[in-house]
Amino acid sequence: MSKLAWNYIVPIKMPADLKGVTPGKLPEELLRKIPTGGKLHWRAADAWNAMVAKAKADGLELKPTSAGDVYRTYESQLAGFKQRYVLEPIVGASTKTFEGKTWYLKKGMAMLATPGKSNHNLGIAIDVHSAGEAKRLTWLIENVKDFGFSWEVFPSEPWHLRLVTGDNPTPAVLAYMAANPQ
Ligand SMILES: [Zn+2]
C-alpha cells in the first residue's frame, strides 16, 4: 500500500545540471537518444532504459506515444500549444495565460502546458504509449517507483511520467547502468 501511495504524485528533484538551463533549449550534451525514440535528459534516459528493460523481462512493451512526447524543444511545445489553443474567446473553454494573453482550448483537444512550462521541455517527462490499458497501468503502478518515476496528474493522465530522483538513481537504475555502460 505504501508503495502505491508513493507512486501517484511525488515532487520532482531536479538534476543539478538543469540549473540555469532554459526549458526547451537544453544543450545537446545533456540529451541522449533513447532506443524507444526521441531524446531525454541523460538521467531520465538511464532510468527509462532501465524500466523498459524490466518491462521487457516481464513480457510488456513500453514505448513513448511518439518521439515528440519525450524531450520537447521550445519550438515544438509552441507549435503544439498553438494547434490546441487560440486567442479568440471560446465560451466555457479551459484557458491558459501565455505571453500575457489568455488562450482558449479548442473543443475536443487535450490540455497542454504552455511553452517552457512542461517537464517535457526539461527532458525529464515521458508520455507512455497505451498507459491506461489495465495490464500496462497495473505494471506501471507496481514498478515506476523502482526507477524513480511518478505521475504529475493521476489518474486522469496515466501516460505522463516524470523522473523525480534528480541525481540519485534508484538501485534498479544503478544496476542497469553498471550492466549497460554508456
Ligand atoms: Zn506528458
Side-chain angles (χ1 to χ4, degrees):
M1 192 62 207
S2 60
K3 189 173 179 184
L4 288 185
W6 192 99
N7 272 333
Y8 294 126
I9 296 167
V10 175
I12 295 173
K13 286 197 193 94
M14 285 290 172
D17 58 15
L18 281 174
K19 201 175 179 193
V21 170
T22 304
K25 300 180 188 295
L26 263 62
E28 276 302 316
E29 65 263 28
L30 295 190
L31 291 167
R32 197 184 292 155
K33 277 188 184 158
I34 53 169
T36 48
K39 292 176 188 177
L40 284 170
H41 181 275
W42 65 279
R43 286 287 189 199
D46 283 337
W48 171 253
N49 291 337
M51 190 162 79
V52 168
K54 171 67 160 56
K56 193 175 175 190
D58 291 346
L60 189 83
E61 187 193 20
L62 281 191
K63 60 182 181 180
T65 50
S66 85
D69 295 319
V70 280
Y71 170 63
R72 269 185 219 138
T73 62
Y74 187 90
E75 291 71 26
S76 69
Q77 187 86 24
L78 181 64
F81 184 80
K82 287 189 171 173
Q83 275 173 8
R84 299 184 193 197
Y85 290 84
V86 290
L87 285 166
E88 238 172 284
I90 300 171
V91 177
S94 164
T95 62
K96 297 254 180 197
T97 303
F98 176 57
E99 292 179 331
K101 295 179 185 130
T102 302
W103 295 73
Y104 299 82
L105 182 61
K106 291 191 216 168
K107 291 247 177 332
M109 294 276 194
M111 298 208 310
L112 192 76
T114 52
K117 296 287 184 204
S118 168
N119 288 313
H120 288 285
N121 301 144
L122 293 171
I124 60 166
I126 301 156
D127 293 336
V128 178
H129 189 262
S130 303
E133 277 178 16
K135 187 181 161 207
R136 190 169 277 102
L137 188 58
T138 300
W139 189 93
L140 289 169
I141 288 170
E142 286 173 358
N143 288 277
V144 293
K145 175 183 188 288
D146 290 346
F147 300 92
F149 290 101
S150 91
W151 284 274
E152 189 159 330
V153 185
F154 193 86
S156 62
E157 293 186 11
W159 56 86
H160 180 86
L161 289 176
R162 70 274 199 289
L163 184 76
V164 298
T165 46
D167 291 313
N168 296 296
T170 64
V173 175
L174 289 172
Y176 176 85
M177 289 162 67
N180 301 273
Q182 289 292 326

